[in-house]
Structure formats: structure tokens, C-alpha cells
Amino acid sequence: MKLAKDSPSTADYNYKSLVVITGASRGIGRAIAVAVAQRSKAGSNENSPILRGTITLVLIARSSLDETERAVADASPGAAVQIESHRVDLSDLESLPSAVGPIFDR
């Protein structure tokens, strides 16, 4: 990522990253959550154009996210990672707006 000539330094900003992972209760979704958590360890994301500063992991799945939450916590001790877990069935189109809307209303 290159800054425009007249842009302020990236050091002037307090970065926050929001990472939304669906299917986070197992398999690839859980693996992605753990990988993001590992990447967020102090100092490892300083040069990342995507993961900067405090990272909020929004985990979405139909089933329990307890194991994923534990795996993320184990993968990122001392890191600036916040976890939000939401049990939502994304295939239920009728309830989708009311289930997902609050996640993105920030």
C-alpha cells in the first residue's frame, strides 16, 4: 500500500480491523479464524495493509462457536483481538436481515 504524496503518515491513525468469518464453527472457517488470530500477535501485523491495530473477529455459524473461541484465544495470547460470536443460520433468508443487521450496524 502506497500513500499519496500529500497523505498523512499511517502512524497518524488508530487502526481497527473487522474480520467477518462465516462457517467459523469448524473446518476452513475455524482455520481462518485461528490464522487471523495468529497474525494479530503483537508486532506481526505492523506492515499489513489489511490487519492493523485492534482486530475484531466476528464469528458466524449455525452451531456452537465455543471451540473456535478457545482456539482463537490460544492462538493469540496478549494480542489485541476481540471476538464476537453469533449463532446464525445464513440459509434462513427470511430471518437474515434481523439476524445479521445488528452485526454490521456499527
Side-chain angles (χ1 to χ4, degrees):
M1 177 176 133
K2 292 187 176 188
L3 295 175
K5 199 174 194 180
D6 297 327
S7 295
S9 164
T10 57
D12 295 338
Y13 297 102
N14 180 15
Y15 285 97
K16 294 181 182 178
S17 298
L18 178 69
V19 179
V20 179
I21 302 170
T22 61
S25 63
R26 61 180 185 224
I28 294 172
R30 181 182 296 159
I32 292 170
V34 169
V36 169
Q38 289 171 335
R39 181 82 170 107
S40 69
K41 288 182 183 175
S44 66
N45 65 351
E46 290 174 354
N47 298 315
S48 171
I50 298 170
L51 298 176
R52 302 288 303 258
T54 301
I55 297 171
T56 300
L57 278 177
V58 178
L59 308 175
I60 301 173
R62 285 184 291 226
S63 15
S64 173
L65 289 157
D66 293 343
E67 288 182 41
T68 302
E69 290 173 357
R70 279 192 290 277
V72 166
D74 291 345
S76 60
V81 177
Q82 299 172 345
I83 302 170
E84 291 182 18
S85 295
H86 301 273
R87 286 188 70 176
V88 176
D89 183 355
L90 296 177
S91 68
D92 183 357
L93 298 179
E94 287 185 16
S95 67
L96 195 57
S98 62
V100 178
I103 296 171
F104 297 100
D105 289 339
R106 298 176 178 272

